[in-house]
Amino acid sequence: MQTRKKSIFLAFLASWLLLFLFGGDQLRRFALFSVRKAESPRSWPRWTDRSLLRSFAEPEELQRDGDPALPSPRERRAAWLSAHRSGRCRMESCFDLSRCERNGFKVFTYPQERGQPVSETYSKILSSIERSRYHTARPEEACLFILGADTLDRDRLSEHYVRDLEGKIHGSPLWNGGRNHLIFNLYAGTWPGYGGELGFDPGHAILARASSDSRTFRPGFDVSIPLIPREHPQRGGQRGRLAGVPPKRRFLLAFKGKRYLTGIGSGTRNALHHIHNGKDIISLTTCKHGKDWHRHKDTRCDRDNADYERFDYQELLHNSTFCIVPRGRRLGSFRFLEALQAACIPVLLSDGWELPFAEAIDWGKAAVVGSERLLLQIPSAVRCIRPERVLAFQQQTQFLWDAYFSSVDKIVHTTLEIIRDRLEPARSRSRRLWNALPGGLLVLPEFSTHLGDFPFYYLQHGYSPSKKFTAFIRAVSQAGSLSQALLRLIQAVSGSQYCAQIVVLWSCEKPPPPRGQWPQSSVPMTIIQGRRKLSDRFFPFGAIQTDAVLSLDEDTSLSTSEVDFAFSVWLSFPERIVGFPTRSHFWDAERGRWGCTSRWTNEVSMVLGAAAFYHRYYHSLFTEHLPAGLRELPACQDALLNALVAAVTKLPPIKVTQSRQHKEGAARQGGCGDDGAAGTPPGPPPAPAGARGTEGGRRPWQRRDCLNQLENWFGYMPLVSSRLRLDPVLFKDQVSVLRKKYPSLERP
């Protein structure tokens, strides 16, 4: 009995010892928190409470009790909602959809007041909207309104701050409580809290703002945009920096920027020096900025300032694989766009930042989203990313930069397209369309929302175009009768095994001949009365039912074999223009402008619509994406279509072999800058111009003027030159003609 009692006692004692050894720490913590509960409550923990919050920074680097008290996130959100009573706005509750149903998606910009200063960036934004296909000069037609007053900088301490803005806005008869208004804003709030206040009540207006806080951002209503530098180009923009650069660069991770000694945003930047190793991770900060930096100077400032000058920022940016993008005083940063352009994968350290266009863009494919509290884990995290994944990230940064961020035009147009997609959810672009080449701005949802209907997704997703084509013949004969050339062309095209239908665009003053006078054809034939506009050739007529379009002039001379071979080539390259007569562009350095030549050279950059295959989607893109003034420029339609396709694909057209008879005909289609312009590439002199119904018969100065206006609209010259021509495999081989698939292409 005594032995049993002793065993029970020893077991009880051992259990208490184990509880003390392994559970004592938890009991002490419990007691500690019990004591703290009795203390006076604090709404926000202090950074110096090291027992409550383990920190990777030194005590002197943390916020000091003497700093200005910053409001907590809950207090900031409450203040914002009290200033903006429309915090729960959605498109269904704060937007008048009926205005868009009546007249479509039209955008009206308020007229600017005389003497009212407008910043350079806001002037670019207004210009981008006025250049868009949605702009209207009539407010009664508008679905969306843009203020004429500059709302970009709402920092009261800024020299660009516009005062008494609320009175100017609310006094407009179009304001209507902000409904159907879009307000652009880059800077909101002021020192010390930078809470996001605009200084006026936006009412029910949509806010397109940089540094958007996810706690105050209204999903599905507001739009988050990037910080736009003052020098950001209006259109075009510089290309990305990935071409020719190996995926693995000299530095793995890099940062160079300001270090805030006190105030909001100082916590993260003050701790960046902890990850610097001087080898493959470079993290440089300087406290030498601002007027009173000497007053807040700490023991690290002198050393940091000396190290800061050792590296050039641009060289560091272009030689680093990952670039840290920490928050500044506000959540956004200019280095975000700089990193995208440089193909330096952004590592975002800005908790609560609603990323630009996150509604459409999948940033998980182009950026590493980190946490400010886990800064020390960033180096090990990026080291774990495989090289093939790094390359995929870099490629996506270049796509996003070129598609949505390289110019003010693209940023503004992306904002408008996102809002437009909300108005028609059934016809909106999917995230796959937004995040794959060529991007959402070049994919028209009114054409289709199915990937298989567009020419540039066939290879990626296993789709293929239809195996038939539509012959689209433009007739401009002034006699009003059927010419022999047109009859021969119809006979040759209808003999192709791939021809599904023939559509004749009758662009003559006289009406077309009766149906009985047209030749009999083995394929259906449709006659369309044209509008007698230059852009009719590339108008999306509903009669065209096939994916492939063979554009022809009535005096084009082609054989059935040429048509069959060209179509077989197009089936392998459905996103490009494939055809016969070509032109090439060149830079005239002496005159400082672009020129164009029809002489036979070793390069081609345009295939004329007189005999060319392309996808019918380009008819819709030509009509809907380009402004009417550009579409109707004389002698410009062929060059414009080639430029548009090159801007979409970043690829040149494809020239296919042609018979001698057609070569001579192409030469007669005349001068494209062949009137002795300086800088014209050498070559045999062309035959006199005189082809009817083609752009080749236009005056050379019109074509050159077209190319320069084209460059002005795109912001760069999109045409791409090529030295490639495709021939049948046995084109020049010394074998029997009976063994050749296209024997008529090689007649002596």
Side-chain angles (χ1 to χ4, degrees), residues 432-471:
R432 179 179 292 183
L433 293 176
W434 280 105
N435 291 277
L437 288 169
L441 297 184
L442 295 173
V443 175
L444 301 179
E446 52 264 38
F447 177 79
S448 177
T449 56
H450 177 56
L451 296 178
D453 292 334
F454 296 95
F456 21 80
Y457 297 121
Y458 292 136
L459 184 61
Q460 301 176 24
H461 302 283
Y463 300 115
S464 59
S466 57
K467 306 302 181 185
K468 298 286 185 177
F469 69 84
T470 296

mmCIF file of all heavy atoms in Angstrom, residues 432-471:
data_model
loop_
_atom_site.group_PDB
_atom_site.id
_atom_site.type_symbol
_atom_site.label_atom_id
_atom_site.label_comp_id
_atom_site.label_asym_id
_atom_site.label_seq_id
_atom_site.Cartn_x
_atom_site.Cartn_y
_atom_site.Cartn_z
ATOM 1 N N ARG A 432 -7.922 36.234 -69.104
ATOM 2 C CA ARG A 432 -6.974 35.610 -70.027
ATOM 3 C C ARG A 432 -6.668 36.547 -71.192
ATOM 4 O O ARG A 432 -5.517 36.645 -71.635
ATOM 5 C CB ARG A 432 -7.531 34.292 -70.536
ATOM 6 C CG ARG A 432 -6.617 33.588 -71.533
ATOM 7 C CD ARG A 432 -7.196 32.272 -71.990
ATOM 8 N NE ARG A 432 -7.228 31.296 -70.920
ATOM 9 C CZ ARG A 432 -7.631 30.040 -71.077
ATOM 10 N NH1 ARG A 432 -8.052 29.628 -72.264
ATOM 11 N NH2 ARG A 432 -7.637 29.207 -70.062
ATOM 12 N N LEU A 433 -7.674 37.256 -71.690
ATOM 13 C CA LEU A 433 -7.441 38.205 -72.783
ATOM 14 C C LEU A 433 -6.605 39.395 -72.320
ATOM 15 O O LEU A 433 -5.774 39.904 -73.072
ATOM 16 C CB LEU A 433 -8.775 38.697 -73.347
ATOM 17 C CG LEU A 433 -9.643 37.660 -74.070
ATOM 18 C CD1 LEU A 433 -10.970 38.269 -74.476
ATOM 19 C CD2 LEU A 433 -8.924 37.116 -75.284
ATOM 20 N N TRP A 434 -6.821 39.829 -71.079
ATOM 21 C CA TRP A 434 -6.057 40.955 -70.563
ATOM 22 C C TRP A 434 -4.597 40.582 -70.331
ATOM 23 O O TRP A 434 -3.720 41.447 -70.404
ATOM 24 C CB TRP A 434 -6.662 41.451 -69.242
ATOM 25 C CG TRP A 434 -7.863 42.323 -69.391
ATOM 26 C CD1 TRP A 434 -9.167 41.978 -69.153
ATOM 27 C CD2 TRP A 434 -7.907 43.698 -69.789
ATOM 28 N NE1 TRP A 434 -10.003 43.035 -69.384
ATOM 29 C CE2 TRP A 434 -9.262 44.112 -69.771
ATOM 30 C CE3 TRP A 434 -6.932 44.613 -70.157
ATOM 31 C CZ2 TRP A 434 -9.654 45.409 -70.110
ATOM 32 C CZ3 TRP A 434 -7.324 45.909 -70.488
ATOM 33 C CH2 TRP A 434 -8.671 46.299 -70.461
ATOM 34 N N ASN A 435 -4.319 39.330 -70.030
ATOM 35 C CA ASN A 435 -2.980 38.934 -69.587
ATOM 36 C C ASN A 435 -2.204 38.117 -70.607
ATOM 37 O O ASN A 435 -1.231 37.452 -70.258
ATOM 38 C CB ASN A 435 -3.094 38.140 -68.280
ATOM 39 C CG ASN A 435 -3.531 39.002 -67.116
ATOM 40 O OD1 ASN A 435 -2.722 39.682 -66.489
ATOM 41 N ND2 ASN A 435 -4.821 38.987 -66.819
ATOM 42 N N ALA A 436 -2.611 38.156 -71.860
ATOM 43 C CA ALA A 436 -1.884 37.464 -72.924
ATOM 44 C C ALA A 436 -1.785 38.395 -74.124
ATOM 45 O O ALA A 436 -2.626 39.282 -74.319
ATOM 46 C CB ALA A 436 -2.598 36.166 -73.310
ATOM 47 N N LEU A 437 -0.738 38.195 -74.909
ATOM 48 C CA LEU A 437 -0.556 39.002 -76.111
ATOM 49 C C LEU A 437 -1.780 38.901 -77.018
ATOM 50 O O LEU A 437 -2.382 37.838 -77.130
ATOM 51 C CB LEU A 437 0.680 38.529 -76.873
ATOM 52 C CG LEU A 437 2.045 38.869 -76.250
ATOM 53 C CD1 LEU A 437 3.148 38.096 -76.962
ATOM 54 C CD2 LEU A 437 2.313 40.360 -76.330
ATOM 55 N N PRO A 438 -2.178 39.991 -77.663
ATOM 56 C CA PRO A 438 -1.566 41.328 -77.675
ATOM 57 C C PRO A 438 -2.071 42.259 -76.588
ATOM 58 O O PRO A 438 -1.689 43.415 -76.548
ATOM 59 C CB PRO A 438 -1.969 41.846 -79.055
ATOM 60 C CG PRO A 438 -3.313 41.266 -79.271
ATOM 61 C CD PRO A 438 -3.267 39.887 -78.657
ATOM 62 N N GLY A 439 -2.968 41.784 -75.709
ATOM 63 C CA GLY A 439 -3.470 42.615 -74.626
ATOM 64 C C GLY A 439 -4.891 43.078 -74.851
ATOM 65 O O GLY A 439 -5.424 43.064 -75.970
ATOM 66 N N GLY A 440 -5.530 43.505 -73.763
ATOM 67 C CA GLY A 440 -6.946 43.855 -73.812
ATOM 68 C C GLY A 440 -7.271 45.045 -74.687
ATOM 69 O O GLY A 440 -8.384 45.139 -75.216
ATOM 70 N N LEU A 441 -6.339 45.982 -74.865
ATOM 71 C CA LEU A 441 -6.641 47.163 -75.670
ATOM 72 C C LEU A 441 -6.778 46.832 -77.155
ATOM 73 O O LEU A 441 -7.392 47.594 -77.902
ATOM 74 C CB LEU A 441 -5.548 48.222 -75.492
ATOM 75 C CG LEU A 441 -5.381 48.799 -74.081
ATOM 76 C CD1 LEU A 441 -4.338 49.893 -74.082
ATOM 77 C CD2 LEU A 441 -6.700 49.320 -73.550
ATOM 78 N N LEU A 442 -6.199 45.720 -77.600
ATOM 79 C CA LEU A 442 -6.251 45.344 -79.012
ATOM 80 C C LEU A 442 -7.193 44.181 -79.268
ATOM 81 O O LEU A 442 -7.211 43.637 -80.365
ATOM 82 C CB LEU A 442 -4.840 44.999 -79.503
ATOM 83 C CG LEU A 442 -3.851 46.167 -79.504
ATOM 84 C CD1 LEU A 442 -2.447 45.696 -79.828
ATOM 85 C CD2 LEU A 442 -4.284 47.240 -80.493
ATOM 86 N N VAL A 443 -7.972 43.807 -78.270
ATOM 87 C CA VAL A 443 -8.972 42.754 -78.415
ATOM 88 C C VAL A 443 -10.339 43.397 -78.232
ATOM 89 O O VAL A 443 -10.664 43.876 -77.141
ATOM 90 C CB VAL A 443 -8.757 41.630 -77.381
ATOM 91 C CG1 VAL A 443 -9.870 40.606 -77.473
ATOM 92 C CG2 VAL A 443 -7.407 40.958 -77.595
ATOM 93 N N LEU A 444 -11.124 43.440 -79.280
ATOM 94 C CA LEU A 444 -12.416 44.112 -79.245
ATOM 95 C C LEU A 444 -13.500 43.130 -78.797
ATOM 96 O O LEU A 444 -13.786 42.157 -79.502
ATOM 97 C CB LEU A 444 -12.763 44.667 -80.621
ATOM 98 C CG LEU A 444 -11.773 45.665 -81.221
ATOM 99 C CD1 LEU A 444 -12.243 46.097 -82.607
ATOM 100 C CD2 LEU A 444 -11.605 46.870 -80.318
ATOM 101 N N PRO A 445 -14.131 43.355 -77.644
ATOM 102 C CA PRO A 445 -15.177 42.427 -77.194
ATOM 103 C C PRO A 445 -16.416 42.452 -78.075
ATOM 104 O O PRO A 445 -17.175 41.485 -78.101
ATOM 105 C CB PRO A 445 -15.483 42.912 -75.772
ATOM 106 C CG PRO A 445 -15.052 44.334 -75.743
ATOM 107 C CD PRO A 445 -13.899 44.445 -76.690
ATOM 108 N N GLU A 446 -16.643 43.560 -78.815
ATOM 109 C CA GLU A 446 -17.806 43.593 -79.703
ATOM 110 C C GLU A 446 -17.625 42.656 -80.896
ATOM 111 O O GLU A 446 -18.606 42.265 -81.533
ATOM 112 C CB GLU A 446 -18.076 45.015 -80.196
ATOM 113 C CG GLU A 446 -16.879 45.713 -80.797
ATOM 114 C CD GLU A 446 -16.160 46.600 -79.813
ATOM 115 O OE1 GLU A 446 -16.046 46.213 -78.638
ATOM 116 O OE2 GLU A 446 -15.717 47.685 -80.225
ATOM 117 N N PHE A 447 -16.375 42.301 -81.210
ATOM 118 C CA PHE A 447 -16.132 41.312 -82.260
ATOM 119 C C PHE A 447 -16.395 39.903 -81.729
ATOM 120 O O PHE A 447 -17.125 39.123 -82.336
ATOM 121 C CB PHE A 447 -14.690 41.423 -82.761
ATOM 122 C CG PHE A 447 -14.316 40.398 -83.804
ATOM 123 C CD1 PHE A 447 -14.700 40.567 -85.119
ATOM 124 C CD2 PHE A 447 -13.586 39.265 -83.455
ATOM 125 C CE1 PHE A 447 -14.365 39.619 -86.079
ATOM 126 C CE2 PHE A 447 -13.243 38.322 -84.405
ATOM 127 C CZ PHE A 447 -13.634 38.498 -85.721
ATOM 128 N N SER A 448 -15.805 39.570 -80.594
ATOM 129 C CA SER A 448 -16.018 38.261 -79.963
ATOM 130 C C SER A 448 -15.322 38.265 -78.615
ATOM 131 O O SER A 448 -14.431 39.083 -78.347
ATOM 132 C CB SER A 448 -15.468 37.137 -80.842
ATOM 133 O OG SER A 448 -15.622 35.880 -80.204
ATOM 134 N N THR A 449 -15.721 37.333 -77.750
ATOM 135 C CA THR A 449 -15.020 37.107 -76.485
ATOM 136 C C THR A 449 -14.440 35.701 -76.430
ATOM 137 O O THR A 449 -13.910 35.293 -75.396
ATOM 138 C CB THR A 449 -15.971 37.313 -75.288
ATOM 139 O OG1 THR A 449 -17.110 36.450 -75.437
ATOM 140 C CG2 THR A 449 -16.436 38.756 -75.207
ATOM 141 N N HIS A 450 -14.513 34.972 -77.544
ATOM 142 C CA HIS A 450 -13.970 33.613 -77.616
ATOM 143 C C HIS A 450 -12.575 33.653 -78.225
ATOM 144 O O HIS A 450 -12.359 34.284 -79.271
ATOM 145 C CB HIS A 450 -14.888 32.726 -78.456
ATOM 146 C CG HIS A 450 -14.372 31.321 -78.640
ATOM 147 N ND1 HIS A 450 -14.064 30.504 -77.580
ATOM 148 C CD2 HIS A 450 -14.098 30.604 -79.763
ATOM 149 C CE1 HIS A 450 -13.630 29.337 -78.039
ATOM 150 N NE2 HIS A 450 -13.636 29.387 -79.356
ATOM 151 N N LEU A 451 -11.627 32.998 -77.582
ATOM 152 C CA LEU A 451 -10.244 33.051 -78.042
ATOM 153 C C LEU A 451 -10.093 32.537 -79.465
ATOM 154 O O LEU A 451 -9.263 33.028 -80.235
ATOM 155 C CB LEU A 451 -9.350 32.234 -77.102
ATOM 156 C CG LEU A 451 -9.233 32.729 -75.658
ATOM 157 C CD1 LEU A 451 -8.353 31.792 -74.852
ATOM 158 C CD2 LEU A 451 -8.677 34.132 -75.613
ATOM 159 N N GLY A 452 -10.874 31.536 -79.829
ATOM 160 C CA GLY A 452 -10.735 30.927 -81.142
ATOM 161 C C GLY A 452 -11.155 31.811 -82.293
ATOM 162 O O GLY A 452 -10.905 31.458 -83.455
ATOM 163 N N ASP A 453 -11.778 32.958 -82.010
ATOM 164 C CA ASP A 453 -12.210 33.857 -83.077
ATOM 165 C C ASP A 453 -11.151 34.907 -83.435
ATOM 166 O O ASP A 453 -11.344 35.673 -84.375
ATOM 167 C CB ASP A 453 -13.503 34.572 -82.674
ATOM 168 C CG ASP A 453 -14.681 33.613 -82.591
ATOM 169 O OD1 ASP A 453 -14.637 32.581 -83.280
ATOM 170 O OD2 ASP A 453 -15.621 33.889 -81.822
ATOM 171 N N PHE A 454 -10.047 34.936 -82.688
ATOM 172 C CA PHE A 454 -8.997 35.910 -82.936
ATOM 173 C C PHE A 454 -7.790 35.223 -83.570
ATOM 174 O O PHE A 454 -7.506 34.057 -83.286
ATOM 175 C CB PHE A 454 -8.578 36.590 -81.632
ATOM 176 C CG PHE A 454 -9.669 37.405 -81.007
ATOM 177 C CD1 PHE A 454 -10.485 36.867 -80.027
ATOM 178 C CD2 PHE A 454 -9.891 38.708 -81.401
ATOM 179 C CE1 PHE A 454 -11.495 37.605 -79.446
ATOM 180 C CE2 PHE A 454 -10.894 39.465 -80.837
ATOM 181 C CZ PHE A 454 -11.709 38.920 -79.857
ATOM 182 N N PRO A 455 -7.045 35.932 -84.405
ATOM 183 C CA PRO A 455 -5.952 35.282 -85.150
ATOM 184 C C PRO A 455 -4.707 34.998 -84.330
ATOM 185 O O PRO A 455 -3.880 34.191 -84.734
ATOM 186 C CB PRO A 455 -5.642 36.289 -86.260
ATOM 187 C CG PRO A 455 -6.050 37.616 -85.706
ATOM 188 C CD PRO A 455 -7.243 37.331 -84.839
ATOM 189 N N PHE A 456 -4.536 35.642 -83.174
ATOM 190 C CA PHE A 456 -3.272 35.523 -82.456
ATOM 191 C C PHE A 456 -3.302 34.523 -81.313
ATOM 192 O O PHE A 456 -2.354 34.446 -80.539
ATOM 193 C CB PHE A 456 -2.824 36.891 -81.905
ATOM 194 C CG PHE A 456 -3.915 37.897 -81.771
ATOM 195 C CD1 PHE A 456 -4.771 37.881 -80.697
ATOM 196 C CD2 PHE A 456 -4.097 38.850 -82.757
ATOM 197 C CE1 PHE A 456 -5.788 38.816 -80.582
ATOM 198 C CE2 PHE A 456 -5.112 39.788 -82.658
ATOM 199 C CZ PHE A 456 -5.964 39.776 -81.566
ATOM 200 N N TYR A 457 -4.382 33.745 -81.154
ATOM 201 C CA TYR A 457 -4.441 32.746 -80.089
ATOM 202 C C TYR A 457 -4.429 31.318 -80.613
ATOM 203 O O TYR A 457 -4.520 30.370 -79.837
ATOM 204 C CB TYR A 457 -5.704 32.945 -79.243
ATOM 205 C CG TYR A 457 -5.750 34.269 -78.523
ATOM 206 C CD1 TYR A 457 -6.785 35.169 -78.741
ATOM 207 C CD2 TYR A 457 -4.747 34.638 -77.636
ATOM 208 C CE1 TYR A 457 -6.833 36.379 -78.092
ATOM 209 C CE2 TYR A 457 -4.783 35.854 -76.982
ATOM 210 C CZ TYR A 457 -5.830 36.717 -77.212
ATOM 211 O OH TYR A 457 -5.870 37.926 -76.566
ATOM 212 N N TYR A 458 -4.321 31.143 -81.940
ATOM 213 C CA TYR A 458 -4.382 29.800 -82.501
ATOM 214 C C TYR A 458 -3.257 28.922 -81.973
ATOM 215 O O TYR A 458 -3.481 27.813 -81.486
ATOM 216 C CB TYR A 458 -4.316 29.869 -84.026
ATOM 217 C CG TYR A 458 -5.542 30.494 -84.667
ATOM 218 C CD1 TYR A 458 -5.418 31.427 -85.695
ATOM 219 C CD2 TYR A 458 -6.822 30.161 -84.254
ATOM 220 C CE1 TYR A 458 -6.527 32.009 -86.287
ATOM 221 C CE2 TYR A 458 -7.937 30.739 -84.830
ATOM 222 C CZ TYR A 458 -7.788 31.660 -85.846
ATOM 223 O OH TYR A 458 -8.892 32.228 -86.417
ATOM 224 N N LEU A 459 -2.030 29.416 -82.062
ATOM 225 C CA LEU A 459 -0.884 28.604 -81.680
ATOM 226 C C LEU A 459 -0.854 28.349 -80.182
ATOM 227 O O LEU A 459 -0.518 27.257 -79.737
ATOM 228 C CB LEU A 459 0.408 29.303 -82.121
ATOM 229 C CG LEU A 459 1.720 28.544 -81.876
ATOM 230 C CD1 LEU A 459 1.707 27.229 -82.643
ATOM 231 C CD2 LEU A 459 2.919 29.382 -82.286
ATOM 232 N N GLN A 460 -1.229 29.346 -79.378
ATOM 233 C CA GLN A 460 -1.142 29.214 -77.929
ATOM 234 C C GLN A 460 -2.150 28.219 -77.373
ATOM 235 O O GLN A 460 -1.842 27.486 -76.441
ATOM 236 C CB GLN A 460 -1.378 30.576 -77.263
ATOM 237 C CG GLN A 460 -0.391 31.659 -77.670
ATOM 238 C CD GLN A 460 -0.746 32.994 -77.046
ATOM 239 O OE1 GLN A 460 -1.404 33.071 -76.020
ATOM 240 N NE2 GLN A 460 -0.325 34.074 -77.692
ATOM 241 N N HIS A 461 -3.354 28.189 -77.945
ATOM 242 C CA HIS A 461 -4.427 27.408 -77.343
ATOM 243 C C HIS A 461 -4.942 26.285 -78.238
ATOM 244 O O HIS A 461 -5.976 25.685 -77.939
ATOM 245 C CB HIS A 461 -5.590 28.335 -76.966
ATOM 246 C CG HIS A 461 -5.182 29.435 -76.031
ATOM 247 N ND1 HIS A 461 -4.976 29.233 -74.681
ATOM 248 C CD2 HIS A 461 -4.904 30.753 -76.247
ATOM 249 C CE1 HIS A 461 -4.616 30.363 -74.111
ATOM 250 N NE2 HIS A 461 -4.569 31.309 -75.034
ATOM 251 N N GLY A 462 -4.241 25.984 -79.310
ATOM 252 C CA GLY A 462 -4.600 24.838 -80.122
ATOM 253 C C GLY A 462 -5.765 25.052 -81.059
ATOM 254 O O GLY A 462 -6.304 24.080 -81.596
ATOM 255 N N TYR A 463 -6.169 26.300 -81.284
ATOM 256 C CA TYR A 463 -7.239 26.562 -82.239
ATOM 257 C C TYR A 463 -6.646 26.646 -83.646
ATOM 258 O O TYR A 463 -5.438 26.764 -83.839
ATOM 259 C CB TYR A 463 -7.959 27.872 -81.911
ATOM 260 C CG TYR A 463 -8.593 27.905 -80.545
ATOM 261 C CD1 TYR A 463 -8.138 28.785 -79.571
ATOM 262 C CD2 TYR A 463 -9.651 27.062 -80.230
ATOM 263 C CE1 TYR A 463 -8.716 28.825 -78.312
ATOM 264 C CE2 TYR A 463 -10.237 27.100 -78.974
ATOM 265 C CZ TYR A 463 -9.763 27.976 -78.023
ATOM 266 O OH TYR A 463 -10.341 28.005 -76.779
ATOM 267 N N SER A 464 -7.513 26.612 -84.632
ATOM 268 C CA SER A 464 -7.072 26.752 -86.020
ATOM 269 C C SER A 464 -8.151 27.489 -86.800
ATOM 270 O O SER A 464 -9.339 27.355 -86.512
ATOM 271 C CB SER A 464 -6.810 25.384 -86.658
ATOM 272 O OG SER A 464 -7.988 24.587 -86.632
ATOM 273 N N PRO A 465 -7.749 28.290 -87.793
ATOM 274 C CA PRO A 465 -8.746 29.025 -88.587
ATOM 275 C C PRO A 465 -9.493 28.088 -89.524
ATOM 276 O O PRO A 465 -9.076 26.956 -89.777
ATOM 277 C CB PRO A 465 -7.895 30.032 -89.367
ATOM 278 C CG PRO A 465 -6.559 29.369 -89.477
ATOM 279 C CD PRO A 465 -6.377 28.576 -88.221
ATOM 280 N N SER A 466 -10.613 28.573 -90.039
ATOM 281 C CA SER A 466 -11.380 27.785 -91.005
ATOM 282 C C SER A 466 -10.564 27.591 -92.278
ATOM 283 O O SER A 466 -9.734 28.424 -92.640
ATOM 284 C CB SER A 466 -12.705 28.480 -91.329
ATOM 285 O OG SER A 466 -12.474 29.797 -91.814
ATOM 286 N N LYS A 467 -10.780 26.482 -92.964
ATOM 287 C CA LYS A 467 -9.977 26.103 -94.134
ATOM 288 C C LYS A 467 -10.505 26.693 -95.433
ATOM 289 O O LYS A 467 -10.168 26.221 -96.520
ATOM 290 C CB LYS A 467 -9.936 24.578 -94.256
ATOM 291 C CG LYS A 467 -9.472 23.864 -92.999
ATOM 292 C CD LYS A 467 -8.087 24.308 -92.550
ATOM 293 C CE LYS A 467 -7.631 23.559 -91.302
ATOM 294 N NZ LYS A 467 -6.338 24.051 -90.786
ATOM 295 N N LYS A 468 -11.322 27.720 -95.334
ATOM 296 C CA LYS A 468 -11.863 28.402 -96.509
ATOM 297 C C LYS A 468 -11.598 29.899 -96.395
ATOM 298 O O LYS A 468 -11.330 30.419 -95.316
ATOM 299 C CB LYS A 468 -13.374 28.153 -96.624
ATOM 300 C CG LYS A 468 -13.766 26.690 -96.818
ATOM 301 C CD LYS A 468 -13.448 26.210 -98.232
ATOM 302 C CE LYS A 468 -13.958 24.800 -98.465
ATOM 303 N NZ LYS A 468 -13.719 24.353 -99.861
ATOM 304 N N PHE A 469 -11.680 30.590 -97.530
ATOM 305 C CA PHE A 469 -11.489 32.038 -97.522
ATOM 306 C C PHE A 469 -12.574 32.719 -98.333
ATOM 307 O O PHE A 469 -13.268 32.101 -99.154
ATOM 308 C CB PHE A 469 -10.105 32.415 -98.055
ATOM 309 C CG PHE A 469 -9.908 32.170 -99.527
ATOM 310 C CD1 PHE A 469 -10.325 33.095 -100.480
ATOM 311 C CD2 PHE A 469 -9.291 31.005 -99.970
ATOM 312 C CE1 PHE A 469 -10.144 32.875 -101.833
ATOM 313 C CE2 PHE A 469 -9.100 30.777 -101.322
ATOM 314 C CZ PHE A 469 -9.525 31.702 -102.263
ATOM 315 N N THR A 470 -12.715 34.033 -98.087
ATOM 316 C CA THR A 470 -13.630 34.890 -98.844
ATOM 317 C C THR A 470 -12.810 35.795 -99.741
ATOM 318 O O THR A 470 -11.911 36.509 -99.261
ATOM 319 C CB THR A 470 -14.497 35.740 -97.904
ATOM 320 O OG1 THR A 470 -15.325 34.886 -97.121
ATOM 321 C CG2 THR A 470 -15.364 36.707 -98.696
ATOM 322 N N ALA A 471 -13.102 35.782 -101.041
ATOM 323 C CA ALA A 471 -12.444 36.703 -101.978
ATOM 324 C C ALA A 471 -13.215 38.019 -101.955
ATOM 325 O O ALA A 471 -14.407 38.068 -102.288
ATOM 326 C CB ALA A 471 -12.427 36.119 -103.377
#
